[in-house]
Each structure stands twice: as C-alpha cells, then as structure tokens.
C-alpha cells in the first residue's frame, strides 16, 4: 500500500504539458482519490477520477474496463524505469516508459486502462480498438479525455503508440484536439501561435466557450463574465478557458 503523507494545497492544471522536453514542475501533489473501490491503489486527481468513472459507466464498461496505472510518485516512476531497463532493455524502455520527472502519470491526470483479464501487462495493457474499449475511445472526448500517444505521432510525443494511455485535458479541449488530430504538444503550440491576440470562440451545445493563450509566468486575470478556468501549459504560458 502506498504510504500517505500530508500534502500541501494542490493546483489543477489540466493542460499542463509534461514530456522529456518539459519536465514536471515542482508543484504540490494533486488532490488524489482512488479511481475505483476495487482498485484502491490506482489514484487520479479527484475530479478526473469522477469523470473517468462516468465515461466507463456511459459505455457500460464496469467490470470490463479496468484501471491499470494512474498517479505515480517520482520514486515509483524511477522504479518502473529501472525495472523495465533490466527486464526489457533501453530501446523498449524509452519507447514505452517516460523518464522519471517527465511522466504524465506524475500529474494525476493520466490513466492506463486495460481490458479485464486474469493477467494484465502493466507496461502495455490490452485495450483493443473494438468492443467496449472502442466505445470508450469514441466517448472519451465528451468527458475531457484524449488518447495521448496516437499512432503516427511518435516523432511529436517521443513515446510509442499507446492505445491504453488516456489523458484528461477537459472539455472543450479534448473535443478540439480530437477534431483537429492534435496531440497536446501540437495543441498548446497552436494556441500559442494562433490565439494569443484573439481568443478562439466556438459553440458547444447550449454554451459558447472561448480559449485564449497568455504568455508569461504571471497568472492572467480571469474575465468577469461566465465561468473561467486557467491552466499553466508548462511552456511559459497560461491557457484561459471561459464558458457562458
């Protein structure tokens, strides 16, 4: 059982980019909770865990889609890296395991999922494109999740295709990324290039949302109207999303 320690006040940055070029900043741990009572050691940020459960329930995936790996501490990521190097070699490890300090799993926003089985590969769980797993994949963006490491984007993400690894970025960002075929790296760069001066505005159901990129380390002032959320991008800026 993972030891619990007293944690400082946490932040929630759903668009935080974490990869080999953008290591995890020194931030407080997320507000963690168990994804499922049957898997008490698989943890996610509290809001993300609730939305993951809702998505699984929406596709009737309870008992079929199981959480394999969620939040990891620095020590746990280091242990996984070291063990994989010994067991599978450097080439395999660099393809499927992020460097300690550069893993999305350390944010509490990423989850590896697997199809229920007697034995599940921890590093590469089976998550097929059809059946209930395919249904989850089709609905994921509606709940704020994206397939983080898609096929054909290995040169962008630095990680091999992982059909089991999903990342919470929130709505509307997940829908925009799916619509445009963007990875998180590409999405953040696009917002910085195209929407620093004028916000992106779209209609989503009954609501209108806007997204704007703000450069600099100072927290941007949120609009007085609507509901707003700001997220660091870990690239020297902030992304502000407003719904009304």
């Amino acid at each position: 059982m993972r030891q619990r320690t007293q944690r400082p006040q946490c932040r929630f940055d759903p668009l935080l980019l974490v990869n080999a070029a953008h290591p995890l900043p020194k931030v407080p741990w997320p507000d963690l909770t168990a994804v499922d009572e049957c898997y008490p050691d698989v943890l996610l940020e509290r809001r993300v865990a609730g939305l993951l459960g809702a998505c699984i329930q929406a596709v009737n995936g309870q008992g079929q889609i199981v959480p394999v790996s969620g939040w990891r501490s620095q020590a746990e990521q280091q242990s996984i890296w070291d063990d994989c190097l010994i067991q599978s070699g450097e080439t395999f490890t660099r393809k499927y395991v992020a460097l300690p300090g550069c893993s999305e799993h350390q944010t509490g926003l990423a989850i590896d999922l697997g199809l229920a089985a007697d034995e599940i590969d921890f590093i590469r769980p089976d998550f097929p494109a059809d059946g209930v797993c395919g249904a989850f994949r089709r609905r994921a963006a509606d709940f704020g999740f994206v397939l983080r490491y898609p096929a054909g984007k290995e040169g962008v993400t630095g990680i091999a295709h992982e059909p089991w690894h999903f990342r919470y970025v929130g709505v509307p960002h997940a829908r925009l990324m799916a619509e445009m075929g963007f990875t998180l790296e590409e999405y953040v760069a696009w917002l910085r290039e195209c929407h620093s001066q004028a916000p992106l505005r779209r209609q989503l159901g009954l609501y209108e949302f806007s997204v704007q990129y703000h450069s600099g380390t100072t927290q941007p002032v949120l609009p007085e109207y609507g509901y707003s959320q700001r997220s660091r991008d870990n690239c020297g800026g902030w992304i502000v999303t407003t719904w009304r």
Side-chain angles (χ1 to χ4, degrees):
M1 181 73 71
R2 186 182 287 117
Q3 288 187 341
R4 306 287 195 238
T5 59
Q6 187 174 2
R7 301 171 186 177
Q9 185 179 4
C10 61
R11 287 194 50 87
F12 184 57
D13 292 301
L15 292 167
L16 193 76
L17 178 63
V18 176
N19 56 27
H22 300 88
L24 187 74
K26 293 182 178 180
V27 295
W29 284 354
D31 181 15
L32 299 168
T33 191
V35 172
D36 187 296
E37 61 182 11
C38 296
Y39 301 89
D41 286 339
V42 181
L43 308 178
L44 280 180
E45 197 280 334
R46 189 171 300 276
R47 284 159 285 193
V48 176
L51 288 163
L52 175 66
C55 189
I56 292 174
Q57 187 174 16
V59 299
N60 297 315
Q62 305 95 313
Q64 299 180 73
I65 296 175
V66 298
V68 177
S69 182
W71 175 80
R72 300 171 186 167
S73 66
Q74 175 77 6
E76 185 177 0
Q77 186 67 25
Q78 184 71 60
S79 177
I80 293 169
W81 174 269
D82 293 342
D83 290 347
C84 198
L85 277 176
I86 294 169
Q87 296 172 12
S88 302
E90 183 176 355
T91 300
F92 178 93
T93 301
R94 289 190 178 278
K95 284 178 65 176
Y96 292 107
V97 181
L99 286 164
C102 301
S103 172
E104 285 204 327
H105 283 284
Q106 294 178 245
T107 67
L109 303 173
I111 184 74
D112 290 346
L113 299 173
L115 188 62
D118 292 338
E119 293 188 8
I120 297 177
D121 187 329
F122 181 79
I123 299 297
R124 296 193 300 170
D126 182 31
F127 201 78
D130 57 2
V132 69
C133 298
F136 177 92
R137 190 173 283 107
R138 290 189 294 273
R139 290 297 310 275
D142 295 336
F143 293 85
F145 293 91
V146 294
L147 180 65
R148 181 64 178 91
Y149 304 119
K153 298 285 188 174
E154 294 85 351
V156 177
T157 65
I159 298 290
H161 175 43
E162 294 191 354
W164 55 83
H165 181 110
F166 291 85
R167 161 68 190 265
Y168 180 82
V169 294
V171 177
H173 307 288
R175 290 190 177 183
L176 287 170
M177 289 172 65
E179 174 187 315
M180 304 177 79
F182 280 164
T183 62
L184 185 55
E185 286 85 355
E186 293 168 317
Y187 183 64
V188 169
W190 175 70
L191 289 177
R192 182 171 58 246
E193 180 179 353
C194 299
H195 294 288
S196 293
Q197 302 299 319
L200 166 70
R201 298 188 188 277
R202 291 281 186 88
Q203 193 75 25
L204 183 62
L206 298 176
Y207 297 93
E208 179 186 273
F209 69 85
S210 66
V211 182
Q212 186 162 9
Y213 189 89
H214 297 260
S215 298
T217 57
T218 303
Q219 290 190 30
V221 177
L222 296 179
E224 295 181 357
Y225 59 88
Y227 169 75
S228 297
Q229 178 187 76
R230 59 189 159 210
S231 172
R232 290 172 297 179
D233 69 346
N234 202 25
C235 302
W238 297 77
I239 297 165
V240 173
T241 311
T242 301
W243 296 262
R244 60 173 177 173

